[in-house]
Amino acid sequence: MSKNHSSKEKDDQQNILTNRQGHPITNNQNLRTVGKRGPAVLENYDFLEKMSHFDRERVPERVVHARGAGAHGYFETYGTVGDEPVSKYTRAKLFQEKGKQTPVFVRFSTVIHGGHSPETLRDPRGFAVKFYTEDGNWDLVGNNIKIFFIRDAIKFPDMIHAFKPDPITNIQDSERFFDFCASSPESFHMVTFIYSPWGIPANYRMMQGSGVNTYKWVNHEGKAVLIKYHWEPKQGIKNLTQKEASEIQAENFNHATQDLYDAIEQGDYPEWELLVQIMSDEEHTELDFDPLDDTKLWPEDQFPWLPVGKMILNRNPEDYFTEVEQSAFGTGVLVDGLDFSDDKMLQGRTFSYSDTQRHRVGANYLQLPINAPKTQVATNQSGGQMQYKVDRAPGQNPHINYEPSILGGLAEATQEGKEHQPYVEGNLVRESIDRQDNTKQAGETYRRFEQWEKDDLIANLVADLSNCDTRIQNKMIALAEEADEEYGRRLREGLAQATKKGSSQKPLGNRDGDKAPEQAVEKGHDAEPY
Ligand code: HEM
């Protein structure tokens, strides 16, 4: 037998199809039947296994951010924050030593629609990063826009209900969207971004990212500062007008996933710089906004963006479901030296993520390789669906699955550095924060836009608002007028010109929504029933 022949045989052996029990499959084309024409018998184990696994191929998709794309890479720290050593502000190990690299997995996403919805829709974009640090995982779960629609977590389910399709028609309806926003004036700044070209990033590589919520950094003395995180793309930033987005959508509704995948396959690795804004850990009554209010930007001239490191994405996932779909990020996933602030959105989010992931992926979702830290995991938690290993330390007495014990069970770790112990007191209340000013920063943002961005913003708002109840229109005009005289005037004039076309539902960002059904009939071809 020639050498070539034997190595080919070996290759063939490696490609042998088996079932999940490791049994070779010798016939994958025919059911086992009584005679050639059937019936099939119940002993068709391989068929039953194949089909019943297929029947379970989908897990529930994310309740928000269902459509996404992911990539692997690394984060490299500068060891400094601006001109100062980073250790002055945080003892988090991943930041300390200049040049130190930490592996990351990133998932970008759109928010409102399902797993295969177009990537050209007007929507925030998710920007979630999992850092596999030497102290366990850190997740920075952010968006492309630096602020958010609401400032209290209790409003999130209502907000998402209003933004998602109508429960009866299953069509997204701009009247429901603006109904919620007009009565939640804190959303006006975010609406100003979302209805401008910033609401449709050209792709995932050319967009910014932001932690949005306020976090803390803690140093060795246990002293904390307030922190905002931002990702700045080295590729530059590119957004789309509604018209450009519609043109792309007509050709390709996977363009952002494809752009990311192709760039990495071609070795054109996307890169972002991580920057932070720092504030002392106080209420800052001198400011006209609360630093814990995620509907507000921290003005850059007062709180400069300070670089701390860079992230490069250089590897595509080997399997979409295993890595991207099953990945699970959460705001509670912090490492020593990073901490929570009292930001009410952050506090609410921190419950929601791991709760939904236990439902979506399963009780043992943290044992999956994409979610597991690359460090030792030793807990006394065990059992539940799909457990495939025990979280045991090498020297642990396996009989001792509780703590405390003197019989060789797991022991508590030593606290590194002083614990941050913020002092809190107050009455238990259900009240909003002071210093709300919902429109001032929206006006500043409007004035910073370039002319084409302002024009697109007004056109998009007019298109979607013109079909709404006039009470909703008037509330939105009042908010725009409060933000900026020109902004309000242009919106009022635009809406006055637009013909009110009844109360039919219109999908968000589809300015030709009313025309769509007729166009589809005109362009389609009649077909005979099959
Ligand atoms: C109270 C407010 C919020 C709640 C309750 C909430 C809840 C959720 C839930 C349940 C998921 C699905 C997670 C999964 O199935 O794995 C999710 C995903 C996500 N959320 Fe939030 N969210 C909130 C606000 C925000 C904000 C302000 C941001 C931006 C900073 C954000 C960014 C993301 C991202 C990027 C994802 C997708 C993560 C991934 O790629 O797997 N969320 N959120």
Side-chain angles (χ1 to χ4, degrees), residues 33-47:
T33 51
V34 184
K36 282 188 182 177
R37 299 183 56 239
V41 290
L42 191 58
E43 60 164 58
N44 266 286
Y45 178 77
D46 291 341
F47 163 72

Side-chain angles (χ1 to χ4, degrees), residues 60-65 68 106-109 111 125-128 140-145 147-148 150 152-157 210-213 215 294 324-325 327-329 331 344-346 348-350 352-353 356-357 360-361:
E61 62 179 27
R62 287 165 177 80
V63 61
V64 283
H65 294 262
V106 178
R107 184 174 178 271
F108 302 109
S109 50
V111 181
R125 300 297 189 268
F127 193 129
L140 180 54
V141 197
N143 278 347
N144 65 322
I145 309 272
I147 54 164
F148 203 62
I150 49 173
D152 192 314
I154 201 169
K155 296 187 70 156
F156 189 77
S210 172
V212 178
N213 289 120
Y215 290 83
D294 70 355
V324 187
E325 191 62 13
S327 62
F329 301 82
T331 50
K344 292 185 206 180
M345 284 287 288
L346 179 62
R349 292 178 73 193
T350 297
S352 181
Y353 289 85
T356 199
Q357 285 147 7
R360 178 171 72 82
V361 190

Side-chain angles (χ1 to χ4, degrees), residues 110-213:
T110 54
V111 181
I112 293 299
H113 291 281
H116 296 280
S117 50
E119 294 183 304
T120 34
L121 297 178
R122 185 171 301 289
D123 213 2
R125 300 297 189 268
F127 193 129
V129 184
K130 188 178 290 296
F131 299 77
Y132 302 93
T133 89
E134 66 186 275
D135 268 347
N137 288 352
W138 169 36
D139 292 351
L140 180 54
V141 197
N143 278 347
N144 65 322
I145 309 272
K146 296 175 196 64
I147 54 164
F148 203 62
F149 295 97
I150 49 173
R151 58 167 77 94
D152 192 314
I154 201 169
K155 296 187 70 156
F156 189 77
D158 292 290
M159 181 196 109
I160 296 299
H161 286 173
F163 292 8
K164 277 195 178 265
D166 177 299
I168 308 290
T169 62
N170 199 29
I171 299 171
Q172 193 184 32
D173 181 358
S174 56
E175 188 167 64
R176 287 159 37 81
F177 176 93
F178 282 112
D179 186 23
F180 179 88
C181 291
S183 299
S184 306
E186 70 271 29
S187 65
F188 192 68
H189 193 186
M190 184 69 168
V191 169
T192 300
F193 271 112
I194 287 294
Y195 268 77
S196 80
W198 289 85
I200 316 181
N203 53 53
Y204 292 136
R205 287 182 309 118
M206 302 177 85
M207 67 180 200
Q208 295 168 303
S210 172
V212 178
N213 289 120

Side-chain angles (χ1 to χ4, degrees), residues 520-521 523-530:
V521 171
K523 285 192 180 157
H525 297 271
D526 290 336
E528 293 301 314
Y530 183 70

Side-chain angles (χ1 to χ4, degrees), residues 398-433:
H399 296 283
I400 310 301
N401 60 351
Y402 53 87
E403 193 282 332
S405 160
I406 51 170
L407 299 177
L410 297 170
E412 288 170 335
T414 318
Q415 171 79 41
E416 291 183 40
K418 231 174 139 198
E419 196 178 7
H420 172 52
Q421 296 183 331
Y423 180 77
V424 209
E425 69 165 5
N427 295 328
L428 273 181
V429 294
R430 286 198 181 90
E431 286 173 20
S432 189
I433 53 165

